[in-house]
Amino acid sequence: MTTTVCGRCKSSGAVTDHQGRQDGAVVWTILRCPTCNFSWRDSEPARAIDPAARSADFAVDAGDLQRYPKILQQ
Amino acid sequence: MNDLPNRARSISSLRDFLELLEDSGQAITWSDPVMPEPGVRNIAVAASRDANGAPAIVFDNITGYPGKRLAVGVHGSWDNIALLLGRPKGTTIRELFFEIAGRWGDQEAQISVVPEAQAPVHECRIEQDINLYDVLPVYRINEYDGGFYIGKASVASRDPLDPDNFGKQNVGIYRLQIQGPDSFTLMTIPSHDMGRQIMAAEREGVPLKIAVMLGNHPGLAVFAATPIGYEESEYSYASAMMGAPMRLTKSGNGIDILADSEIVIEAELQLGERELEGPFGEFPGSYSGVRKAPIFKVTAVSHRRDPIFENIYIGRGWTEHDTLIGLHTSAPIYAQLRESFPEVTAVNALYQHGLTGIISVKNRMAGFAKTVALRALSTPHGVMYLKNLIMVDADVDPFDLNQVMWALSTRTRADDIIVLPNMPAVPIDPSAVIPGKGHRLIIDATSYLPPDPVGEAHLVTPPTGDEIDALSKRIREMQLGALS
Ligand SMILES: [Zn+2]
């Protein structure tokens, strides 16, 4: 079952960007989180996409997106 | 196969090179079903363990991408680099280094122009309902990357303030993160050409159009990836270094591109917009941070029929990134040093894009190697990258780490080092306390000369030179022959 909850920032509302098919059947779906821009395929190992299994080191704080620096400032 | 130099010069595309690699046992096709994650990564990493002999791998049965092809490891071993340079498999890294170092100023650029209607790259054209995921069999390169990355893109652009000037065109390799079906972010820094162009376009409010070339002439990535202070276009430089013609055509948005590339993505900068990008597993073997990076909107895609998406595994070394850029990182430092100090005999900056370098030098006087090391730090690449320098005598091959360790063991005193604190440093160095600033280390592992009272020990002198090199190759060939 494809979840629309982001594995990285735990926001909901991910959008579907693409579905891979094999012999006509959908075999995976690529989703994207509009909050933190994390993209994933729902067939990936849990430790990459499941918020419960992912390393906290790679979490993004959806409530504090200001902290991430902007490159190429004038 | 007896005419490897001519065959190398006749390469005009990724397909030509894959054919040459396949004929030489240096490319394989992976036709077993493989999941994009973690299958592609696992196979790419397993292959890159063999830095000398790894083959390129062409996947043609990735689950969910029927009919699509992906190539990794095209530049993933010294044998593949040797074949690109017209040399046989088994050519030593030292020989490849001198092959590249010897090509400077040797050849004229040969640029030919192919009309767009005849350029293979434009065989198929997408201008409506663009979805990059329909074209590219992407996969997560490292498991905590922030998305699906295009890691081996050569990005061509014109100067936004002088768009009609051919000489001001730029080709560079930048990492791209796909941000939805028709968008991607591009990571750069202000000192790179693309960074300068983005800032100029945003300051003046003028458009910046780019063409992202994928699956290119294999010489372009080797010779256009590393900035070398060369005034001419990267195409001209790559052509001169390959001693071979480069066929150019125009992208739909008016940029000079390689006519025989597999795929070209045309895109336009969204002025002033930034989107979250990263992390990405980078060449020092650690992840970059998450930052807000410039975003581009795709305006069209051209590709050859049945295109091959070429990508790279990059991360904790050894990886294809090291064989791709290592020699062409080392050779310019060598050339620049020799302008001041002809005593320099070789430069090995293969490790993490030169974060560690080994330089061999004929010591003119006591302490001379340290003077050469300081000069190395002021070369264009040295300013930011050469963090640790090991100086060895000319009787030590800097590409043979067993010899380098011998020099460290027998010719270094613990106080024969210099630490230069708080120097500029490449921000990506994971050891930095403050990214962009760090200490430099010079280890003098050269022998002692007067007025030093110690003097050189009485060395054992085993036979060396061409004869011994040839014998060791022959022994290896006899061994391989016995196995087959
Ligand atoms: Zn998210």
Side-chain angles (χ1 to χ4, degrees):
Chain A
M1 178 66 199
T2 294
T3 170
T4 59
V5 174
C6 172
R8 177 160 89 164
C9 78
K10 299 191 169 84
S11 301
S12 53
V15 295
T16 293
D17 277 343
H18 187 61
Q19 291 191 310
R21 288 166 194 275
Q22 202 78 33
D23 304 320
V26 172
V27 286
W28 44 251
T29 300
I30 288 179
L31 296 112
R32 175 170 43 95
C33 169
T35 303
C36 79
N37 292 2
F38 184 61
S39 298
W40 73 96
R41 193 183 328 260
D42 62 1
S43 59
E44 290 189 65
R47 52 182 278 159
I49 63 170
D50 178 353
R54 257 177 80 90
S55 163
D57 290 348
F58 295 94
V60 161
D61 183 353
D64 185 20
L65 297 177
Q66 296 304 321
R67 65 189 285 196
Y68 300 104
K70 207 182 258 193
I71 69 161
L72 305 183
Q73 300 243 55
Q74 298 288 346
Chain B
M1 295 308 288
N2 297 326
D3 197 13
L4 286 171
N6 277 336
R7 181 119 191 238
R9 279 193 293 270
S10 74
I11 294 168
S12 74
S13 66
L14 172 65
R15 291 175 190 212
D16 292 345
F17 188 48
L18 285 172
E19 203 176 295
L20 166 60
L21 292 176
E22 203 173 347
D23 291 348
S24 313
Q26 286 302 121
I28 60 172
T29 302
W30 198 281
S31 293
D32 290 346
V34 57
M35 284 301 283
E37 300 86 12
V40 172
R41 177 194 316 141
N42 289 350
I43 293 163
V45 168
S48 66
R49 280 189 185 175
D50 179 6
N52 286 322
I57 300 176
V58 179
F59 295 91
D60 65 1
N61 192 7
I62 304 172
T63 302
Y65 293 120
K68 292 199 166 49
R69 294 189 289 172
L70 160 74
V72 300
V74 172
H75 299 84
S77 64
W78 298 119
D79 279 348
N80 287 14
I81 300 290
L83 291 165
L84 176 62
L85 298 175
R87 303 289 295 262
K89 287 165 69 172
T91 303
T92 63
I93 305 171
R94 183 184 177 83
E95 290 169 318
L96 295 175
F97 168 79
F98 284 109
E99 176 71 42
I100 286 182
R103 289 187 182 198
W104 258 295
D106 230 24
Q107 302 276 348
E108 295 286 306
Q110 309 161 58
I111 299 293
S112 62
V113 175
V114 180
E116 286 162 67
Q118 286 155 35
V121 68
H122 288 310
E123 281 169 357
C124 307
R125 180 96 181 144
I126 306 165
E127 294 178 339
Q128 305 285 325
D129 302 322
I130 295 162
N131 184 351
L132 294 175
Y133 293 115
D134 267 338
V135 183
L136 308 174
V138 294
Y139 54 96
R140 196 181 306 280
I141 295 177
N142 276 298
E143 64 180 335
Y144 291 117
D145 289 350
F148 301 105
Y149 272 86
I150 301 172
K152 206 177 185 182
S154 287
V155 182
S157 59
R158 286 171 178 268
D159 185 330
L161 305 184
D162 193 3
D164 298 327
N165 189 331
F166 178 85
K168 285 195 182 171
Q169 289 193 109
N170 172 57
V171 181
I173 294 189
Y174 301 93
R175 71 175 201 235
L176 312 178
Q177 182 184 347
I178 298 178
Q179 303 269 7
D182 64 349
S183 298
F184 58 83
T185 41
L186 181 151
M187 179 51 67
T188 180
I189 55 177
S191 62
H192 284 165
D193 290 318
M194 185 57 66
R196 274 199 291 269
Q197 291 183 351
I198 289 170
M199 292 179 77
E202 293 184 338
R203 195 170 51 240
E204 303 297 327
V206 296
L208 175 63
K209 295 176 181 180
I210 64 173
V212 176
M213 298 176 284
L214 305 175
N216 305 317
H217 186 301
L220 188 71
V222 172
F223 294 116
T226 308
I228 49 146
Y230 194 80
E231 292 296 311
E232 274 181 71
S233 87
E234 283 85 354
Y235 297 123
S236 304
Y237 179 72
S239 165
M241 291 298 281
M242 285 296 294
M246 289 274 160
R247 284 160 39 96
L248 299 187
T249 190
K250 284 265 189 296
S251 62
N253 59 355
I255 298 164
D256 288 292
I257 56 169
L258 291 172
D260 301 291
S261 289
E262 295 291 327
I263 301 161
V264 168
I265 301 167
E266 300 168 9
E268 185 167 344
L269 175 67
Q270 303 301 288
L271 292 173
E273 289 183 27
R274 297 289 184 273
E275 286 288 345
L276 283 177
E277 190 269 0
F280 181 64
E282 270 287 0
F283 70 84
S286 44
Y287 286 95
S288 71
V290 177
R291 299 188 196 83
K292 293 175 184 136
I295 187 153
F296 287 79
K297 181 120 177 136
V298 180
T299 50
V301 175
S302 281
H303 64 82
R304 296 177 70 144
R305 274 186 282 279
D306 197 13
I308 305 167
F309 171 47
E310 187 191 1
N311 213 353
I312 189 169
Y313 178 73
I314 177 169
R316 183 161 161 183
W318 192 265
T319 76
E320 180 183 358
H321 185 262
D322 300 303
T323 26
L324 172 64
I325 65 164
L327 289 172
H328 200 249
T329 303
S330 307
I333 300 169
Y334 171 75
Q336 288 147 5
L337 279 177
R338 283 183 51 104
E339 288 169 11
S340 315
F341 298 121
E343 294 88 350
V344 171
T345 58
V347 173
N348 172 355
L350 301 179
Y351 302 101
Q352 285 62 57
H353 206 0
L355 286 182
T356 293
I358 306 159
I359 300 175
S360 59
V361 58
K362 289 181 192 135
N363 245 344
R364 209 192 280 172
M365 63 201 88
F368 177 67
K370 297 182 186 72
T371 311
V372 174
L374 294 172
R375 172 73 188 91
L377 298 187
S378 67
T379 59
H381 194 70
V383 168
M384 297 299 278
Y385 283 85
L386 291 176
K387 180 174 74 163
N388 307 315
L389 273 179
I390 302 170
M391 306 302 293
V392 296
D393 286 286
D395 68 345
V396 172
D397 175 2
F399 293 100
D400 182 341
L401 294 188
N402 288 336
Q403 294 189 36
V404 173
M405 293 307 288
W406 172 79
L408 278 173
S409 301
T410 62
R411 287 174 167 170
T412 307
R413 297 174 188 151
D415 64 353
D416 220 3
I417 63 165
I418 302 172
V419 175
L420 295 154
N422 298 318
M423 299 279 284
V426 62
I428 205 169
D429 176 5
S431 76
V433 178
I434 304 165
K437 199 174 169 191
H439 310 330
R440 304 299 180 94
L441 170 64
I442 298 167
I443 301 176
D444 187 349
T446 60
S447 53
Y448 307 111
L449 281 177
D452 193 298
V454 174
E456 176 70 302
H458 296 289
L459 293 180
V460 173
T461 51
T464 56
D466 292 348
E467 190 186 342
I468 303 302
D469 292 347
L471 283 171
S472 79
K473 278 188 192 172
R474 185 161 167 222
I475 291 166
R476 182 77 180 138
E477 278 161 19
M478 289 168 73
Q479 186 185 7
L480 290 172
L483 289 174
S484 63

